[in-house]
Amino acid sequence: MRTKLTIWRYRLWRFRLTTVGIALASFGAATALVNPPRTVSVAAGLAGATLSFMETRANRRRSEELRFQPREGDKYKDVVDQSAALGPSIESARDVGIMLSRENAELRKRPIRAILQTPDYVLPRDLRTWSLDYLTRRAKTGKIYNDRVLCLASDLLGDDVAKLRAARYFDFLCSNLLAPLDVWQVGRKSPALRGRDLILDPEGRLIPFRRSRLANIIGVSTLAFTTDGQLLLVSQTPENMGSPGLLAPSGSGALEPKDMPDNMADWTIQTIVINGAERELQEECHLEANEIRRSAVVGHGRWISRGAMPEFCAATLLRLTGDQMLDRSVRRVERSFVHEVMPVNLAPVRLWDPRRPLEMLPRKHRDAVSWPLALGLASLAECVNDESWPLRNELISRLTD
């Protein structure tokens, strides 16, 4: 309902002259038989009807002349090459991104303090131009919502703290999700908006978060392991906006303001990410809090195919076996997003390679991997080689028993 009301609010602003026209027409109809003089009422009614008709026709024509064109086959090879110093590229079934190796080392080494900035993110004026048309199209292709989410407004390296700010999910749809598209209008020989310009500077380099004009919603996920060493994978439904029809981590979604601890002393990016990842894990895998033993952050990357948005991933140790998870049914409220939860065995730890994360999975699953799952596996492969990572010994014990 909130989603529909928000779209209607956007629509009322687009059709504001129509709204005035309807008010004038209503005034004319209501006063046609009483004071003021009938000629004034008739004139107001005709003016309102004409105004409404003209704007409705103009907006409908504009919408029909607008095209959001995906850049099919754009693997961002030039962007990956320019960003080689940041870390290895990670490819999944449909998307590409970069694992930020230096940031990952910092995440494992020390707590990184976080602050919540004000005011909230505001969609830039030029992106608002396309917002109603784009939202209307997206609403027809999947389940969307407009809750408050957290966004990243700074980079983890080069800043003293991780700066977060709140936004609405629609802000993400109308900014980051425009980056894989070019906006065309009838009669133009070039795009009205080039999606690549939203994430790249004039030299073709990724724009840092602190200078980005996009919402940059913070994606979070976790890889949950059972007591017998199986990884839980979530098969997403085609209606899921995250990675429709693909295999996702055990829990995945976006950070929300409620993921920030009540005590400001605990505001670190690691704590907030773990809170959000465990919340998503409980929702999607039908778990209770006491069935989660422990979690730790494993990595961070930029999902280039989604406007170079930030994605954080964690690993979680459960208190349940794989067979116990098979007995769980998907919650009714999650059935629009989650098709199935499946425990799988990974390849032996000695074969894990951060640059070939898909090979950690059974062969039959590799063609359906989402990008957050690929990033999580690559980051996990780095972590098991780091003796200081807190879950290393217990996870390896579960995987090798």
Side-chain angles (χ1 to χ4, degrees), residues 115-136:
I115 61 172
L116 185 61
Q117 288 187 322
T118 55
D120 292 356
Y121 171 82
V122 177
L123 195 67
R125 182 186 298 272
D126 59 328
L127 298 184
R128 287 203 302 270
T129 302
W130 323 110
S131 58
L132 176 60
D133 300 286
Y134 187 60
L135 284 173
T136 302

Side-chain angles (χ1 to χ4, degrees), residues 380-399:
L380 184 64
E382 274 195 345
C383 285
V384 296
N385 292 320
D386 183 352
E387 294 186 359
S388 67
W389 187 56
L391 300 190
R392 178 180 183 273
N393 294 336
E394 185 172 354
L395 176 60
I396 291 177
S397 176
R398 291 190 179 197
L399 293 169

Side-chain angles (χ1 to χ4, degrees), residues 231-262:
L231 169 64
L232 301 184
L233 297 182
V234 171
S235 174
Q236 297 194 339
T237 64
E239 293 79 23
N240 195 313
M241 290 288 292
S243 299
L246 297 180
L247 294 176
S250 317
S252 59
L255 280 184
E256 300 178 6
K258 62 184 176 184
D259 297 323
M260 303 194 73
D262 294 332

Side-chain angles (χ1 to χ4, degrees), residues 90 98-100 104 221 223 298-303 310-313 357 369-380:
I90 304 295
I98 296 173
M99 181 171 68
L100 303 175
N104 290 356
S221 64
L223 302 175
V298 295
H300 168 44
R302 295 193 69 169
W303 192 345
E311 184 76 25
F312 288 84
C313 43
V369 172
S370 65
W371 195 79
L373 176 55
L375 174 68
L377 291 171
S379 301
L380 184 64

Side-chain angles (χ1 to χ4, degrees), residues 37-227:
R38 184 173 300 178
T39 53
V40 174
S41 299
V42 171
L46 289 174
T50 302
L51 192 64
S52 299
F53 172 76
M54 291 177 62
E55 189 187 40
T56 299
R57 185 178 64 175
N59 276 301
R60 181 174 298 176
R61 182 180 300 166
R62 175 185 180 279
S63 181
E64 291 172 351
E65 293 177 349
L66 200 61
R67 187 173 83 252
F68 296 93
Q69 182 66 45
R71 296 191 304 279
E72 301 292 350
D74 188 353
K75 293 297 184 181
Y76 299 94
K77 188 177 184 309
D78 56 325
V79 181
V80 169
D81 292 343
Q82 283 267 29
S83 307
L86 300 178
S89 65
I90 304 295
E91 292 192 25
S92 64
R94 300 174 188 166
D95 296 329
V96 63
I98 296 173
M99 181 171 68
L100 303 175
S101 295
R102 291 176 57 204
E103 282 85 344
N104 290 356
E106 288 296 312
L107 283 168
R108 295 195 297 269
K109 187 191 323 182
R110 62 180 177 89
I112 298 177
R113 193 166 67 88
I115 61 172
L116 185 61
Q117 288 187 322
T118 55
D120 292 356
Y121 171 82
V122 177
L123 195 67
R125 182 186 298 272
D126 59 328
L127 298 184
R128 287 203 302 270
T129 302
W130 323 110
S131 58
L132 176 60
D133 300 286
Y134 187 60
L135 284 173
T136 302
R137 286 166 171 77
R138 294 296 303 209
K140 296 176 182 178
T141 61
K143 300 287 186 179
I144 62 175
Y145 66 100
N146 194 35
D147 289 346
R148 281 167 59 83
V149 290
L150 291 178
C151 306
L152 190 60
S154 69
D155 302 278
L156 294 190
L157 297 181
D159 291 284
D160 294 334
V161 296
K163 298 174 184 176
L164 314 181
R165 60 184 173 190
R168 290 285 179 179
Y169 193 77
F170 278 6
D171 295 326
F172 163 70
L173 291 177
C174 297
S175 59
N176 287 84
L177 290 196
L178 276 181
L181 310 173
D182 292 329
V183 182
W184 290 83
Q185 287 179 302
V186 172
R188 290 182 60 111
K189 294 183 178 180
S190 61
L193 174 71
R194 296 181 187 274
R196 273 174 159 254
D197 294 341
L198 298 177
I199 64 171
L200 302 177
D201 66 15
E203 285 73 41
R205 296 171 300 193
L206 282 175
I207 297 174
F209 291 124
R210 64 180 179 275
R211 292 197 288 108
S212 176
R213 299 167 57 245
L214 307 184
N216 293 318
I217 182 176
I218 302 173
V220 290
S221 64
T222 190
L223 302 175
F225 289 88
T226 61
T227 55

